[in-house]
Amino acid sequence: MLIGLCGGICSGKHSVAGYLIQHQNFRLLELKSSGSPHARQDYEVTNNAIDQASRLKFETAESLLEFATKRWQENWVTTHIWDAAALDRFLQRPFFLLVSVDAPVSLRWKRFAERYQKRQLEPPQLEEFVLWNDQQLYEKDIGRALLTDRAQVRLFNSSTSLDELHAALKTLNLADDQRLRPNWDQYFMELASLAAQRSNCMKRRVGCVLVRERRVISTGYNGTPRHLKNCNEGGCPRCNRGEGGGAGLSTCLCLHAEENALLEAGRERIREGAILYCDTCPCLTCTVKIAQVGISEVVYSQGYNMDSDSAAILEAAGIRLRQFSSPRNGLIYLEG
């Protein structure tokens, strides 16, 4: 695994790298000369707490990546990715994880000032720090935001001590392999969530995927039937009236995601052993249809207001029901 860390000044990139090196057997990969477009001698007061023995230095980003590629089964970390073109090459590797680190600007300035004071230097004023921070993050074509916006994991580091930060990172476990390559549950659930983005229902977006032997049989999302006006265009009066959950269901014209997937597949293609993935636990109406066509297992991510009733029916029909939670990605607040 190769973890790339990016972020603003004093956000905690090197502290996160230090944790990975000290506690999870990572080694640091660096470039010999700073290729950062924002490298300025008067601001380059960095955290040098990482042991020199844990560092390996390279002439170019390409040689660094080539080295890590040949040793992808070992654990590496780098803070030396500075431009979008280099990042594109890193992201092509299946063992690479991009992690951004951020913190409140007032806290980052405080950390920055403390580093200056330790070197008996006069720290910059907050206003000066903010101006340089804005340049570093947002300058056109070279700002670090071009990198941080593409991070698979985004850490918000408001920790005031290394002990707090280390405790939060231990709980998070950045080195979880599932962050790199989703397992089958995660893969199919993400397909269901993608299908939900096609929904036109005014009440709730839901997506569904039917799978047998790890092959997709069909997908579905909720909305009005074919050839009828879309729900979000006024096609379903009940949904557009904004009635509460469970009210007026008999007048609803929207097909549910599970119904659409079942209709698309047909019983002959489903057969025993099929698994239904849905980003929301099926309602009662869909549950009885799932039981009828021979689904063996239902996997969902979000609860619904009749989960216990649906669970009872599925249990009586001999169908396994389980909730799936994927590893935490996206924006994560680090709390000790």
Side-chain angles (χ1 to χ4, degrees):
M1 169 183 267
L2 170 60
I3 292 180
L5 295 168
C6 61
I9 312 159
C10 285
S11 58
K13 300 183 295 296
H14 293 90
S15 295
V16 174
Y19 170 83
L20 294 172
I21 291 166
Q22 295 169 30
H23 298 281
Q24 296 196 313
N25 298 317
F26 278 70
R27 293 191 69 187
L28 184 68
L29 304 182
E30 297 182 315
L31 299 182
K32 290 183 179 179
S33 59
S34 175
S36 170
H38 294 290
R40 282 176 40 177
Q41 188 63 39
D42 55 335
Y43 282 105
E44 288 300 300
V45 181
T46 57
N47 185 347
N48 293 313
I50 298 173
D51 187 353
Q52 290 293 329
S54 298
R55 303 170 186 248
L56 291 174
K57 293 183 179 290
F58 300 86
E59 296 290 345
T60 64
E62 289 76 10
S63 59
L64 186 157
L65 181 58
E66 181 181 357
F67 174 87
T69 300
K70 292 177 179 178
R71 297 162 180 81
W72 65 271
Q73 291 179 307
E74 301 172 53
N75 288 331
W76 311 100
V77 60
T78 184
T79 60
H80 283 204
I81 302 174
W82 290 307
D83 63 83
L87 178 60
D88 286 339
R89 293 191 290 275
F90 278 78
L91 287 172
Q92 290 173 351
R93 299 299 198 271
F95 56 84
F96 177 71
L97 179 73
L98 181 64
V99 178
S100 70
V101 188
D102 198 5
V105 67
S106 58
L107 179 57
R108 293 195 285 115
W109 173 68
K110 181 180 178 182
R111 293 170 181 167
F112 195 74
E114 288 173 352
R115 291 185 188 177
Y116 263 74
Q117 291 164 356
K118 285 180 181 178
R119 295 182 59 177
Q120 297 182 335
L121 298 173
E122 183 68 25
Q125 296 298 311
L126 174 59
E127 182 179 2
E128 183 182 3
F129 177 82
V130 169
L131 290 173
W132 189 59
N133 172 74
D134 287 348
Q135 179 191 21
Q136 189 220 31
L137 285 177
Y138 303 115
E139 187 170 345
K140 185 178 180 181
D141 298 328
I142 60 173
R144 296 288 176 85
L146 292 171
L147 309 182
T148 58
D149 285 352
R150 300 177 67 184
Q152 295 111 306
V153 181
R154 293 175 291 137
L155 306 180
F156 189 75
N157 172 28
S158 58
S159 301
T160 56
S161 73
L162 282 179
D163 288 340
E164 285 184 5
L165 177 63
H166 288 184
L169 290 171
K170 182 179 179 180
T171 301
L172 179 62
N173 187 18
L174 274 177
D176 187 343
D177 287 342
Q178 289 188 52
R179 298 184 193 281
L180 297 175
R181 186 171 187 249
N183 63 23
W184 289 110
D185 276 351
Q186 189 177 353
Y187 174 67
F188 292 125
M189 195 62 75
E190 288 182 6
L191 291 180
S193 295
L194 179 61
Q197 299 305 304
R198 284 288 303 164
S199 169
N200 62 68
C201 181
M202 291 294 291
K203 293 289 290 182
R204 176 194 296 262
R205 282 179 165 178
V206 182
C208 177
V209 174
L210 269 174
V211 175
R212 190 180 67 249
E213 297 176 352
R214 295 178 177 173
R215 297 290 183 271
V216 174
I217 303 171
S218 65
T219 64
Y221 54 86
N222 57 329
T224 48
R226 188 176 299 170
H227 304 310
L228 295 189
K229 185 185 295 185
N230 285 338
C231 182
N232 61 354
E233 297 171 335
C236 177
R238 182 259 175 184
C239 288
N240 281 268
R241 285 196 299 268
E243 297 190 21
L249 292 178
S250 62
T251 64
C252 184
L253 301 182
C254 288
L255 287 166
H256 290 192
E258 301 94 320
E259 292 175 309
N260 271 323
L262 295 173
L263 288 168
E264 180 69 24
R267 181 177 173 81
E268 278 130 19
R269 292 178 62 203
I270 295 173
R271 300 200 304 272
E272 297 295 331
I275 302 175
L276 184 145
Y277 288 88
C278 193
D279 57 5
T280 304
C281 188
C283 68
L284 283 176
T285 302
C286 290
T287 297
V288 296
K289 295 173 182 175
I290 290 168
Q292 178 66 12
V293 298
I295 299 290
S296 297
E297 184 176 16
V298 173
V299 185
Y300 70 98
S301 58
Q302 301 174 39
Y304 192 47
N305 58 15
M306 53 185 73
D307 291 5
S308 57
D309 295 328
S310 297
I313 292 173
L314 292 174
E315 182 180 8
I319 300 171
R320 185 185 180 195
L321 174 69
R322 59 186 173 90
Q323 188 169 12
F324 171 74
S325 297
S326 62
R328 293 168 64 200
N329 280 357
L331 179 61
I332 300 171
Y333 286 78
L334 295 179
E335 299 173 348

